[in-house]
């Protein structure tokens, strides 16, 4: 049995410290530990047979008074990049909190980078509660984030910190083993549109209203096959590489906005599709509507409606339009019985909103507690690349390939979102071929 390490932490902000230490040591590394709150220490002391590692406390030590007093823009990190250190997994590393200090002796290493506060900042997303910038849908935009503005949104910085921590532990004399992590493709599909508009109406509009015969010709294939009916294609591709497709369905009955989609749960098409997904062993989840992110009652009504039609409990899913208000939306997910959310990716920018692709337990920084909910952060969405960033399918392929390579390098899951409606329609020409090539 692997011996545990002892981790001594300063007094103050104990719940926050306990959370991030558990995520890094238990969830990521799988190293058993014993935590001791010690009012006599000023830093994090990680002790084990053979040596000691000290991580400087460069954040909580400066935050005195009320536990939530740190929730201000003045507490945002001042980013620096350190280079050429043998402990870093890359040539450099973004430092959110801390400084360039490494003191190395025979049985002890002191590290000036506060990887605990830095990782806490990325995972909990308290930045988004403090920074009130919102887009036209009321979402926190990726371009407003510290990670994007400092050019490291494309890097899984929490995983980089974990690798750095592991390298320093080994150099300090730690002889235990770490948990094996594996790269995994997580392919998810939000079913916003179950069935296309009657193509005859579209073609008639092209000819009679828009006088655009060329455009009308492009819609003729829809007379023979609904372009959003790509469910079998998606399952076929997933099965070829040995993964499951995750289909997230909506249950908005009365539309009161332009962003929710028509109700489709009572249709024969929906029932046949659900039967096919179940038969083939793929996953079904919940896709709460546009107005639910702060509305617990509406959120619960939609979930209940979908579960009644499905005759099963649903435990995973994603908010429609990535409508997320941290931490309030996540509280709703926990309270109403969900186990895993996959909303935390940005609509306007691909990348690691939480600093990782790994699934991790959610921490409510206002209530200062770990929720009974895990986050599987979204990394790349089709609409981000095509709609927000106007990337061609060839450019998109290069971007997606880079995130797959990153996942493999860090033995990390990478979650992608491809809507069922993003392949055979006119504006998505070439994307089906690209999808086949990427996930084959």
């Amino acid at each position: 049995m692997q011996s545990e390490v002892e981790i001594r932490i300063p007094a103050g902000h104990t719940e926050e410290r306990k959370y991030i230490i558990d995520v890094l040591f238990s969830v990521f590394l799988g190293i058993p530990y014993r935590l001791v709150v010690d009012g006599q220490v000023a830093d994090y002391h990680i002790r084990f047979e053979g040596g000691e590692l000290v991580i400087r406390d460069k954040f909580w030590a400066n935050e005195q008074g009320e536990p939530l007093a740190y929730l201000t823009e003045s507490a945002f990190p001042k980013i620096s990049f350190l280079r050429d250190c043998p402990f870093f997994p890359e040539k450099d590393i973004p430092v959110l909190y801390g400084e360039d200090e490494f003191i190395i002796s025979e049985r002890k290493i002191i590290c000036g980078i506060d990887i605990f506060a830095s990782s806490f900042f990325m995972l909990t997303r308290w930045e988004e509660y403090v920074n009130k910038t919102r887009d036209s849908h009321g979402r926190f935009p990726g371009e407003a984030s510290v990670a994007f503005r400092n050019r490291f949104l494309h890097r899984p910085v929490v995983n980089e910190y974990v690798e750095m921590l592991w390298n320093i532990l080994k150099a300090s004399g730690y002889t235990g083993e770490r948990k094996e992590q594996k790269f995994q493709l997580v392919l998810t599909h939000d079913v916003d549109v179950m069935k296309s508009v009657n193509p005859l109406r579209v073609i008639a509009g092209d000819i009679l209203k828009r006088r655009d015969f060329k455009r009308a010709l492009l819609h003729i294939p829809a007379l023979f096959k609904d372009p959003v009916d790509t469910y079998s294609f998606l399952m076929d591709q997933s099965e070829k590489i040995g993964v499951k497709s995750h289909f997230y369905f909506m249950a908005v009955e009365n539309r009161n906005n332009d962003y929710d989609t028509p109700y489709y749960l009572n249709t024969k098409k929906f029932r046949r599709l659900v039967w096919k997904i179940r038969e083939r062993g793929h996953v079904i989840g919940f896709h709460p509507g546009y107005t639910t992110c702060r509305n617990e009652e509406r959120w619960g009504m939609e979930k209940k409606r979908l579960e009644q039609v499905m005759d099963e409990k649903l435990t995973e899913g994603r908010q429609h339009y990535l409508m997320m208000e941290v931490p309030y939306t996540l509280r709703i997910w926990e309270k109403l019985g969900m186990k895993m959310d996959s909303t935390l990716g940005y609509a306007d920018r691909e990348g690691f909103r939480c600093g990782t692709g790994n699934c991790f337990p959610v921490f409510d920084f206002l209530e200062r507690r770990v929720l009974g909910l895990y986050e599987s952060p979204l990394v790349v969405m089709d609409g981000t690349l095509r709609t927000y960033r106007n990337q061609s399918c060839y450019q998109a392929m290069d971007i997606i390939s880079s995130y797959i390579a990153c996942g493999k390098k860090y033995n990390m899951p990478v979650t992608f979102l491809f809507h069922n409606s993003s392949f055979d329609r006119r504006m998505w020409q070439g994307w089906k071929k690209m999808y086949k090539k990427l996930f084959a």
Side-chain angles (χ1 to χ4, degrees):
M1 182 177 177
Q2 188 171 342
S3 59
E4 65 181 14
V5 302
E6 179 189 86
I7 304 177
R8 289 186 172 269
I9 64 173
H13 295 93
T14 305
E15 298 307 314
E16 290 80 1
R17 297 181 197 269
K18 284 182 177 179
Y19 165 74
I20 197 59
I21 286 171
D22 191 65
V23 170
L24 298 193
F25 274 84
S26 294
V27 177
F28 279 84
L29 288 173
I31 295 176
Y33 68 91
R34 180 169 62 90
L35 192 67
V36 178
V37 179
D38 186 344
Q40 302 303 309
V41 300
D43 299 305
Y44 301 88
H45 290 257
I46 304 164
R47 298 169 179 169
F48 43 86
E49 185 177 352
E52 180 180 9
L53 165 62
V54 178
I55 304 290
R56 294 296 194 199
D57 179 0
K58 293 294 184 177
F59 182 69
W60 301 123
N62 301 321
E63 298 299 324
Q64 306 299 325
E66 293 297 319
L68 301 182
Y70 72 92
L71 294 173
T72 63
E73 288 199 27
S74 64
F76 280 3
K78 309 298 188 291
I79 307 299
S80 61
F81 287 81
L82 300 185
R83 295 181 57 86
D84 302 323
C85 175
F87 302 132
F88 297 166
E90 306 287 346
K91 291 182 179 179
D92 65 6
I93 200 164
V95 179
L96 279 69
Y97 298 103
E99 57 192 29
D100 185 6
E101 178 194 17
F102 286 97
I103 302 174
I104 303 173
S105 57
E106 184 177 353
R107 299 173 67 86
K108 183 177 181 178
I109 294 179
I110 299 174
C111 171
I113 302 174
D114 188 345
I115 62 173
F116 297 119
S118 299
S119 297
F120 184 86
F121 178 85
M122 293 302 302
L123 292 179
T124 61
R125 307 310 307 133
W126 66 263
E127 167 190 10
E128 302 178 21
Y129 172 80
V130 175
N131 185 342
K132 302 303 183 183
T133 303
R134 297 294 184 267
D135 67 11
S136 60
H137 297 284
R139 301 171 301 193
F140 181 75
E143 291 190 357
S145 69
V146 167
F148 177 79
R149 288 187 284 110
N150 289 276
R151 300 182 180 180
F152 65 88
L153 181 60
H154 65 289
R155 296 174 61 169
V157 65
V158 174
N159 295 78
E160 293 184 26
Y161 289 144
V162 169
E163 293 305 310
M164 185 184 80
L165 174 60
W166 175 246
N167 292 336
I168 299 175
L169 281 170
K170 290 192 297 181
S172 303
Y174 180 69
T175 58
E177 297 180 352
R178 65 184 292 182
K179 179 170 64 177
E180 182 182 359
Q181 301 275 11
K182 293 183 179 179
F183 163 70
Q184 183 183 359
L185 284 171
V186 184
L187 301 179
T188 67
H189 318 290
D190 295 351
V191 184
D192 299 338
V193 182
M194 172 63 68
K195 183 180 180 181
S196 296
V197 176
N198 187 331
L200 287 174
R201 291 177 55 191
V202 178
I203 293 170
D206 290 337
I207 296 172
L208 300 176
K209 291 183 178 181
R210 291 175 284 276
R211 304 292 181 180
D212 191 338
F213 292 91
K214 186 176 181 180
R215 182 172 175 175
L217 289 173
L218 292 173
H219 288 110
I220 287 178
L223 292 170
F224 306 98
K225 185 182 184 301
D226 189 339
V228 306
D229 187 0
T230 59
Y231 315 105
S232 292
F233 161 73
L234 293 169
M235 288 187 281
D236 289 343
Q237 293 305 122
S238 291
E239 289 166 8
K240 285 179 182 178
I241 58 175
V243 303
K244 297 180 185 297
S245 277
H246 299 247
F247 293 94
Y248 300 151
F249 290 102
M250 301 188 72
V252 179
E253 190 169 37
N254 298 311
R255 295 179 67 192
N256 56 7
N257 60 76
D258 294 330
Y259 304 105
D260 286 327
T261 56
Y263 187 69
Y264 53 64
L265 299 191
N266 290 338
T267 64
K268 290 182 180 179
K269 186 178 182 65
F270 173 74
R271 290 193 291 272
R272 286 196 299 266
L273 175 59
V274 168
W275 179 85
K276 185 185 296 184
I277 293 171
R278 285 171 169 166
E279 183 185 44
R280 295 179 65 166
H282 295 270
V283 179
I284 294 174
F286 177 38
H287 194 40
Y290 182 81
T291 60
T292 62
C293 71
R294 288 291 293 264
N295 191 322
E296 180 182 326
E297 181 181 6
R298 185 170 294 158
W299 197 104
M301 288 174 60
E302 291 183 16
K303 179 173 186 275
K304 182 178 180 180
R305 187 180 299 132
L306 181 58
E307 289 180 334
Q308 286 176 339
V309 174
M310 301 273 305
D311 193 27
E312 69 173 278
K313 292 291 184 182
L314 301 176
T315 59
E316 69 171 75
R318 175 182 296 117
Q319 289 285 138
H320 187 39
Y321 263 76
L322 305 184
M323 298 291 288
M324 171 65 67
E325 193 67 28
V326 177
Y328 306 108
T329 310
L330 295 166
R331 287 180 192 168
I332 295 174
W333 279 67
E334 179 206 38
K335 184 176 180 180
L336 298 184
M338 300 297 274
K339 299 300 181 185
M340 193 274 288
D341 168 72
S342 189
T343 306
L344 283 176
Y346 294 121
D348 60 323
R349 289 285 170 175
E350 70 280 358
F352 297 99
R353 182 172 180 173
C354 299
T356 184
N358 286 81
C359 192
F360 62 90
V362 174
F363 185 81
D364 185 327
F365 51 84
L366 292 182
E367 295 186 349
R368 305 183 67 214
R369 67 183 181 92
V370 182
L371 301 184
L373 177 74
Y374 277 74
E375 179 65 33
S376 180
L378 174 62
V379 178
V380 182
M381 177 176 72
D382 50 8
T384 303
L385 302 179
R386 180 67 185 89
T387 306
Y388 287 84
R389 304 237 286 119
N390 197 31
Q391 302 290 293
S392 70
C393 62
Y394 303 105
Q395 292 170 316
M397 187 169 182
D398 288 341
I399 292 169
I400 293 167
S401 296
S402 72
Y403 283 97
I404 293 174
C406 183
K408 290 179 178 178
K409 178 174 183 177
Y410 286 96
N411 295 314
M412 170 186 66
V414 182
T415 299
F416 296 94
L417 165 55
F418 287 89
H419 294 78
N420 60 297
S421 52
S422 298
F423 295 98
D424 290 330
R425 300 165 84 183
R426 185 170 59 89
M427 70 173 290
W428 295 93
Q429 295 299 310
W431 282 69
K432 179 174 278 189
K433 183 177 180 180
M434 179 264 287
Y435 193 90
K436 287 180 178 179
K437 190 171 182 179
L438 275 172
F439 306 117

